[in-house]
Amino acid sequence: GKETENMNTDSGGSTNRQRRSGIASCQNLCDSFVAQLLQRCSRKGEDGGASEFRPILSSLVDDFLIMQLLPEHPAAEMVLATICRGLGNDIYKASSYGGGDSKRNQNSGSSTAEATYLSTAFEIIGRISGSIAELLANQRDSPLSISRHVEENVQLKQQGQKVHSCFCGRQSLVNTLMVSCDNCKGFYHSECVGQTKKNLQEEWVCDDCKLKEMATDVTREFSSLHSIRSRGKNGGIMTSKMEIHVFRQLVLTYLSNESDTPGVRFAREFLLAQWVKMLDGDETAKESNDASSTVLAQHFLDIWSSEVNALTSKLRSASPLSGDGYRRLMIALSTSKSDLVQSFPRQMGLLIQFMGDKRLVSIRKLAVKALSQVVDADSSLMSHPSLKNAVSERFADEAKSVREAVVGLVGSFVVSCPELANTYHTSFLPRLMDEGVSVKKRTVKIFRDILMTNPSYNGRAAACALMLQ
């Protein structure tokens, strides 16, 4: 429902405005739906469970992962975050930390929860966390910035350099059709921006330049409406908070252009309520007495009932972003303050914790496999100290299946990332003499691949000596 305001007066006579967002009722409904679904998925035998509800859960997660970057489906992130939270709680209860190591299963090293449900739970958490890791890596490697990109391109162009600006990451400027932005002069692969030889436009402007132009309109209009002025030695400054507000306004404009699509009105109201909740909970702004969050929240309340206002109408007349432009826009918003992305450290912490479960072999093994889904999306996580320590400990795990899983995890990256081979060399080397034949064979194969791709590998002498033994 629409935001309402409670007016409370403190002892000093000042007014403290506390907004209540309709997001709370949405979250309650989401919690109820997910709880009922997970309850059915966790049943043993043929009464629900694997035969019916687990495939439904897996398919739902796939669909929501696709929808999470579509402005028309903003609640997808809420559902995914709730599923992660529910599955994490179920795994915790089944682990030794939550009492899942009762006397009746200590000897077997298995959990009281059904094994197939735990496997499904870990796989889904790994899949969702991997998706988050991929979004964070995209934003880290190719951040969507309104002003920096264009200014850097113009500066390099003035120095006589060709500027490769394509967001795909490929650096080649030869043997492929490139198009140049008429504004910033950056070069892009034609297939990446939807251009071909047959439909080349006489004038073409990249998404980053369009964003900068739209940002200027948003900040000017917003400043005039709410009497906000940027202060600084060089005049107006595009702060990160205002940049996120520009992105939000562009999403609202996109939805206003799609007003004939069923459900778009509800998507718009959901986003407005969600943003007001985020802004009202901005503790950093409260500590620094920054009033901009309050003004921004009030702006969203003011436009609640009006799908088209002066600013939206002006942005509508501008050239729209490409499909990839809107995708990058949603990634920037998602990685800023969404509940799903903010839950990522917690999910990683749980997986690392479950890898160290003292009694349940199945929990440790499944945690390693789930972690492999995450680092597949962002291999740089393998160098994180907490993850490195947890993985290194599993190399000496008492269970052969866990050792084999962790060898496979690290082995997937050490060939392509030589620095990781050096990082994990000390832990990897003893597995050449592992008592488990499958572990030993896998380790030998990995070292063979390392030495063939990197003959000057620092640990080659020690590795070859052990392999000869």
Side-chain angles (χ1 to χ4, degrees):
K2 181 178 178 178
E3 268 66 25
T4 58
E5 296 181 358
N6 293 332
M7 308 295 287
N8 298 326
T9 304
D10 58 25
S11 56
S14 63
T15 301
N16 177 32
R17 306 176 69 182
Q18 297 180 340
R19 296 183 182 85
R20 298 180 57 193
S21 173
I23 285 295
S25 59
C26 295
Q27 185 64 67
N28 291 337
L29 179 61
C30 186
D31 290 342
S32 177
F33 167 74
V34 171
Q36 291 292 327
L37 179 58
L38 296 187
Q39 182 181 13
R40 285 163 172 76
C41 289
S42 63
R43 290 175 181 171
K44 296 183 179 181
E46 294 300 321
D47 185 16
S51 62
E52 183 177 355
F53 289 101
R54 289 176 199 166
I56 293 175
L57 173 62
S58 183
S59 297
L60 279 176
V61 169
D62 284 339
D63 292 341
F64 285 130
L65 286 175
I66 294 173
M67 292 189 294
Q68 67 172 326
L69 295 181
L70 299 178
E72 298 92 337
H73 303 284
E77 283 194 339
M78 175 182 285
V79 179
L80 290 172
T82 306
I83 289 175
C84 264
R85 188 164 55 248
L87 291 175
N89 290 337
D90 287 347
I91 295 173
Y92 184 84
K93 293 175 184 176
S95 70
S96 61
Y97 303 105
D101 57 335
S102 58
K103 292 182 179 180
R104 61 181 177 179
N105 57 43
Q106 283 184 20
N107 295 330
S108 63
S110 61
S111 169
T112 52
E114 190 182 17
T116 53
Y117 175 63
L118 286 178
S119 179
T120 300
F122 271 109
E123 193 277 330
I124 289 177
I125 287 181
R127 203 189 317 167
I128 295 174
S129 299
S131 175
I132 302 172
E134 184 177 6
L135 294 180
L136 290 170
N138 285 338
Q139 183 63 11
R140 179 195 66 216
D141 298 336
S142 302
L144 184 61
S145 177
I146 291 176
S147 56
R148 184 188 64 183
H149 165 80
V150 177
E151 292 169 355
E152 288 178 349
N153 280 4
V154 172
Q155 183 179 7
L156 290 173
K157 187 66 179 179
Q158 290 173 348
Q159 297 172 1
Q161 301 180 30
K162 282 190 175 181
V163 183
H164 181 265
S165 306
C166 198
F167 43 79
C168 69
R170 293 179 293 163
Q171 297 301 313
S172 174
L173 289 172
V174 296
N175 297 328
T176 185
L177 178 63
M178 306 292 293
V179 292
S180 174
C181 173
D182 290 318
N183 186 25
C184 68
K185 311 305 179 184
F187 281 88
Y188 294 79
H189 299 110
S190 59
E191 64 268 24
C192 293
V193 294
Q195 299 287 310
T196 65
K197 289 183 179 179
K198 294 182 179 180
N199 71 347
L200 279 179
Q201 302 174 14
E202 290 187 9
E203 293 186 5
W204 180 80
V205 178
C206 68
D207 286 328
D208 294 272
C209 289
K210 291 177 184 177
L211 276 173
K212 186 175 183 181
E213 181 180 353
M214 293 176 180
T216 302
D217 293 335
V218 172
T219 51
R220 184 186 297 115
E221 187 75 18
F222 188 75
S223 297
S224 64
L225 288 173
H226 301 281
S227 300
I228 290 182
R229 295 290 184 272
S230 298
R231 295 180 177 88
K233 292 185 293 183
N234 300 320
I237 297 176
M238 176 58 66
T239 64
S240 59
K241 183 177 292 185
M242 182 56 71
E243 189 171 72
I244 293 298
H245 175 64
V246 171
F247 295 160
R248 288 168 175 166
Q249 189 62 56
L250 294 177
V251 171
L252 293 179
T253 302
Y254 170 84
L255 291 175
S256 70
N257 290 329
E258 302 291 325
S259 58
D260 294 335
T261 303
V264 164
R265 180 175 67 86
F266 300 111
R268 179 180 179 276
E269 292 179 353
F270 184 95
L271 285 171
L272 288 173
Q274 192 176 54
W275 295 337
V276 169
K277 176 178 176 291
M278 289 179 183
L279 291 166
D280 281 344
D282 190 348
E283 296 298 331
T284 304
K286 293 176 182 178
E287 293 174 0
S288 60
N289 294 321
D290 182 3
S292 62
S293 291
T294 302
V295 176
L296 290 171
Q298 184 59 49
H299 168 70
F300 290 132
L301 290 173
D302 292 340
I303 66 173
W304 179 275
S305 301
S306 175
E307 294 189 14
V308 180
N309 50 50
L311 180 56
T312 304
S313 299
K314 190 169 187 177
L315 293 176
R316 269 183 164 184
S317 62
S319 178
L321 301 177
S322 66
D324 189 82
Y326 282 114
R327 179 180 177 276
R328 294 173 65 204
L329 188 66
M330 292 303 295
I331 290 176
L333 280 176
S334 180
T335 53
S336 60
K337 267 193 172 182
S338 75
D339 291 339
L340 180 62
V341 172
Q342 287 188 323
S343 72
F344 182 68
R346 176 180 179 272
Q347 300 303 331
M348 290 296 293
L350 283 175
L351 290 178
I352 291 174
Q353 182 181 12
F354 293 144
M355 282 175 61
D357 192 290
K358 295 180 179 179
R359 291 188 175 91
L360 303 179
V361 174
S362 60
I363 295 287
R364 298 199 299 270
K365 179 181 177 181
L366 290 171
V368 172
K369 289 186 175 182
L371 195 61
S372 68
Q373 294 176 274
V374 183
V375 296
D376 275 344
D378 184 9
S379 60
S380 68
L381 292 172
M382 290 293 293
S383 301
H384 192 280
S386 298
L387 184 56
K388 176 189 170 185
N389 293 336
V391 169
S392 297
E393 289 178 3
R394 291 309 102 208
F395 274 104
D397 196 280
E398 61 183 18
K400 182 182 71 173
S401 60
V402 177
R403 297 197 304 274
E404 187 173 4
V406 80
V407 165
L409 166 65
V410 178
S412 302
F413 303 100
V414 292
V415 176
S416 57
C417 303
E419 63 275 10
L420 286 182
N422 295 324
T423 299
Y424 287 95
H425 175 79
T426 304
S427 301
F428 228 138
L429 199 61
R431 294 310 103 211
L432 286 170
M433 306 300 292
D434 196 280
E435 60 182 17
V437 176
S438 59
V439 178
K440 186 186 300 184
K441 289 175 64 177
R442 195 161 191 171
T443 307
V444 168
K445 189 175 181 180
I446 291 171
F447 269 114
R448 180 201 67 184
D449 293 339
I450 292 175
L451 294 173
M452 290 183 67
T453 56
N454 183 19
S456 59
Y457 174 58
N458 291 334
R460 62 187 181 279
C464 289
L466 283 180
M467 284 190 282
L468 286 174
Q469 295 179 24

